[in-house]
Amino acid sequence: MPKAIENTCLGITRKQAESSGLDFDSLKKEEEALEPGARKVLEQEALIFEEGFNKGRRKDGNYIRNWLNFLFCLNRLFIATKTSNPASLSKAIGIKSASVYRPIKKHEIPDNWFIKVGKKFGVSIDWLTGHEISQSRNLEDKS
């Protein structure tokens, strides 16, 4: 594996992770656990994230943490809805397919997505937003 790829995960480099106080090896494990839908978004959006980072957007840990939070929340939405791509996620949420792409491009998930998924699929909004860890076990049990 090329060294550049080995030192990148979730769209960030080892150096960026470490300078933000993040454990790169733990992030690698998180990347391996991503759902197919989140992987697709990661492949498409990681370059946009990197361009934003290089264009002088906030080059601090907050920018990286916001990016990771977006990815992990989106991943939990894919898990909860049992969907595998943005188009199927939009159907599960009950919005037009085209309406799902703008928030993904902006790396900002609308609050109403969490509310709709929480109600429709019976999952905790706290878990969807990353404020609760245990919901993933409940989802695995329901499968």
Side-chain angles (χ1 to χ4, degrees):
M1 183 179 292
K3 190 170 185 164
I5 293 173
E6 286 179 17
N7 288 320
T8 302
C9 79
L10 298 169
I12 63 173
T13 65
R14 179 179 293 277
K15 183 178 178 181
Q16 290 169 330
E18 290 172 355
S19 70
S20 300
L22 301 168
D23 179 12
F24 188 80
D25 295 325
S26 294
L27 293 177
K28 277 283 201 195
K29 290 177 185 172
E30 293 282 350
E31 182 179 57
E32 292 169 7
L34 288 179
E35 294 293 304
R39 283 185 182 278
K40 289 176 187 176
V41 170
L42 174 61
E43 290 169 8
Q44 295 168 345
E45 297 301 310
L47 290 175
I48 293 168
F49 165 79
E50 186 61 30
E51 288 171 6
F53 196 85
N54 289 333
K55 285 183 180 175
R57 287 190 188 164
R58 295 187 61 151
K59 293 189 178 188
D60 61 13
N62 288 332
Y63 187 73
I64 292 171
R65 283 187 185 87
N66 287 340
W67 162 252
L68 294 173
N69 187 53
F70 159 77
L71 278 177
F72 296 149
C73 287
L74 187 63
N75 192 56
R76 286 187 287 275
L77 288 171
F78 282 117
I79 292 169
T81 59
K82 295 181 170 68
T83 55
S84 61
N85 59 56
S88 59
L89 178 63
S90 69
K91 288 178 186 172
I93 295 173
I95 61 175
K96 293 179 182 175
S97 183
S99 300
V100 79
Y101 292 100
R102 182 174 295 139
I104 288 174
K105 289 282 183 207
K106 294 173 92 178
H107 306 157
E108 296 176 2
I109 301 171
D111 292 343
N112 67 339
W113 290 14
F114 298 116
I115 295 166
K116 287 180 180 183
V117 169
K119 287 181 179 179
K120 186 173 181 179
F121 294 91
V123 296
S124 163
I125 293 171
D126 283 336
W127 176 75
L128 289 170
T129 57
H131 295 102
E132 177 183 305
I133 297 171
S134 63
Q135 186 69 36
S136 60
R137 290 188 191 97
N138 294 340
L139 283 172
E140 289 170 7
D141 293 343
K142 291 179 184 178
S143 300

